[in-house]
Amino acid sequence: MDDATAPSTDEASAKQRWGGISGVILSSLAVGIILTGLAPLLTLNLERAGFASSWIGVMGATPAFAVICMSAAIPLIIKRLGAGQSMAAAMILASAALLLFPLFDPGPWWFVLRFIMALGIGITLVVGQTWAIALSTPQLRGTVMALTITAISVGFAVGPLLVGWLGSEGALPFIVIAAIMAASIMAVPLAMRNGAPGLRDHATMRLRDAFRRAPHVMMVVLLVGFIWITIMALLPVYGVRSGLAEDSAVFLLTCFVGGNVVFQ
């Protein structure tokens, strides 16, 4: 191959960079499906088992509580294992927790498994977003973040549709969601092969320091998180109690996500 047809170093670097970003985007799509697929799946099962709305709300809040409890440990895990191994281990943890749900009746063990699974999803999200930002140039950063958010949003819309199609009874929906999580692990080698950023040495910031530096941004994030968790946990239950069929009640979540995407 002569010099005229050989790819330049910049072209090869850009191709490698986009390969790594593509792996992160694929994992973001899977995470979106899992987050909005599992939320109605669990709450509808708790509703069927006769749990009060307060306990269903606790189940919805468990992932946020898990991430808050482990927020200080997540940077340490990433520094010790590196980006790729942290992401893969987190996905395996989440998949394993998902497969254990059908082995127990709705009750205390479901809250424990939800907590464990949330740790895996939390690490996956943190590493994925940081990875995408680290690989993108300043000129591409806005585009990369838009693509990542779009992938998560598409996953958010698909998750409830999946549960509406599979139903919420039995082990099948848990197995399918776990399979999606397990399949998304294949995105990690793709991302690593095309450029894994060195996240071990990145500086960290405590949660209270983030609130001190950008209080308005953090309060908006807190409010949005509160709204999302509340709707994901309780909207399907409200739909069922209002007389809607289960698949129609779950479809309400897809409508909510669709409106969110349109107005972004």
Side-chain angles (χ1 to χ4, degrees), residues 177-198:
I177 294 175
I180 293 172
M181 186 82 240
S184 69
I185 297 174
M186 300 306 297
V188 178
L190 170 65
M192 291 185 68
R193 186 169 62 249
N194 289 281

Side-chain angles (χ1 to χ4, degrees), residues 151-261:
I152 294 177
S153 298
V154 171
F156 281 169
V158 171
L161 292 176
L162 186 65
V163 174
W165 178 55
L166 295 172
S168 63
E169 298 185 36
L172 180 61
F174 291 99
I175 293 173
V176 171
I177 294 175
I180 293 172
M181 186 82 240
S184 69
I185 297 174
M186 300 306 297
V188 178
L190 170 65
M192 291 185 68
R193 186 169 62 249
N194 289 281
L199 302 182
R200 296 176 188 266
D201 301 324
H202 278 218
T204 59
M205 182 184 298
R206 294 180 179 180
L207 187 60
R208 64 171 178 267
D209 293 332
F211 269 100
R212 190 177 297 116
R213 291 191 180 189
H216 296 94
V217 173
M218 295 299 291
M219 287 303 297
V220 169
V221 172
L222 182 65
L223 178 61
V224 170
F226 173 80
I227 293 171
W228 269 81
I229 288 175
T230 302
I231 290 177
M232 288 295 163
L234 299 179
L235 187 58
V237 175
Y238 173 79
V240 169
R241 291 184 180 181
S242 298
L244 291 177
E246 188 175 281
D247 56 346
S248 298
V250 173
F251 183 67
L252 292 175
L253 290 180
T254 298
C255 294
F256 167 74
V257 174
N260 178 71
V261 172

Side-chain angles (χ1 to χ4, degrees), residues 10-194:
D10 289 343
E11 289 174 343
S13 177
K15 184 177 180 180
Q16 185 180 48
R17 182 184 301 113
W18 276 109
I21 292 170
S22 297
V24 175
I25 291 173
L26 287 174
S27 70
S28 299
L29 175 64
V31 167
I33 294 173
I34 291 157
L35 285 175
T36 57
L38 188 63
L41 180 59
L42 295 180
T43 56
L44 288 172
N45 274 279
L46 292 179
E47 166 71 10
R48 192 180 301 114
F51 279 75
S53 298
S54 57
W55 282 109
I56 295 174
V58 171
M59 176 63 81
T62 297
F65 180 67
V67 173
I68 290 172
C69 289
M70 289 296 293
S71 60
I74 290 176
L76 299 178
I77 294 172
I78 296 172
K79 284 184 178 180
R80 184 169 183 83
L81 299 180
Q85 290 183 344
S86 296
M87 202 169 182
M91 290 177 170
I92 292 171
L93 178 67
S95 301
L98 268 166
L99 290 174
L100 291 176
F101 275 101
L103 301 181
F104 301 95
D105 293 329
W109 278 110
W110 276 34
F111 290 87
V112 175
L113 291 173
R114 187 70 168 114
F115 186 93
I116 294 171
M117 189 197 157
L119 297 180
I121 293 295
I123 293 173
T124 302
L125 278 174
V126 170
V127 174
Q129 297 301 308
T130 307
W131 197 327
I133 292 172
L135 286 179
S136 58
T137 62
Q139 294 80 8
L140 290 175
R141 193 153 297 156
T143 301
V144 170
M145 293 311 300
L147 289 172
T148 304
I149 292 172
T150 299
I152 294 177
S153 298
V154 171
F156 281 169
V158 171
L161 292 176
L162 186 65
V163 174
W165 178 55
L166 295 172
S168 63
E169 298 185 36
L172 180 61
F174 291 99
I175 293 173
V176 171
I177 294 175
I180 293 172
M181 186 82 240
S184 69
I185 297 174
M186 300 306 297
V188 178
L190 170 65
M192 291 185 68
R193 186 169 62 249
N194 289 281

